[in-house]
Amino acid sequence: MRLITAIFMVSMLAGCATMGRDQRPAGPLPPSTRPTYNLSGYPPAFKDGYIDGCETAKKTSYGYKDERRFSADNQYRAGWNDGFSLCRGKR
């Protein structure tokens, strides 16, 4: 019985270790898991870009650059560039 319990515990711990702290699924994170910034008054696309750019500059696990959106959406691009440049200096 102890052997079965030990095997079970090892498999549970191994399952928890498959994804490190700094790893995250590819692509943007759901809104409920994203960091928040006080960007009231800015359009949603700018806010998304700012958060993505700032988190990329800070090299957090939330850092992400949506290349498709960056090339097609001027507001997202402006937000990403602003967020990246402002947060890069805060390290």
Side-chain angles (χ1 to χ4, degrees), residues 26-87:
L29 294 170
S32 63
T33 63
R34 298 186 75 193
T36 57
Y37 292 85
N38 183 6
L39 297 169
S40 58
Y42 288 96
F46 183 92
K47 292 178 187 179
D48 290 344
Y50 187 93
I51 293 169
D52 290 347
C54 187
E55 295 299 314
T56 299
K58 293 191 298 186
K59 297 180 180 175
T60 70
S61 60
Y62 297 101
Y64 175 73
K65 184 176 185 180
D66 188 335
E67 293 291 343
R68 182 186 55 78
R69 234 175 136 183
F70 188 85
S71 64
D73 187 342
N74 290 334
Q75 289 182 353
Y76 178 85
R77 182 174 41 255
W80 197 95
N81 288 331
D82 285 356
F84 186 81
S85 63
L86 288 171
C87 293

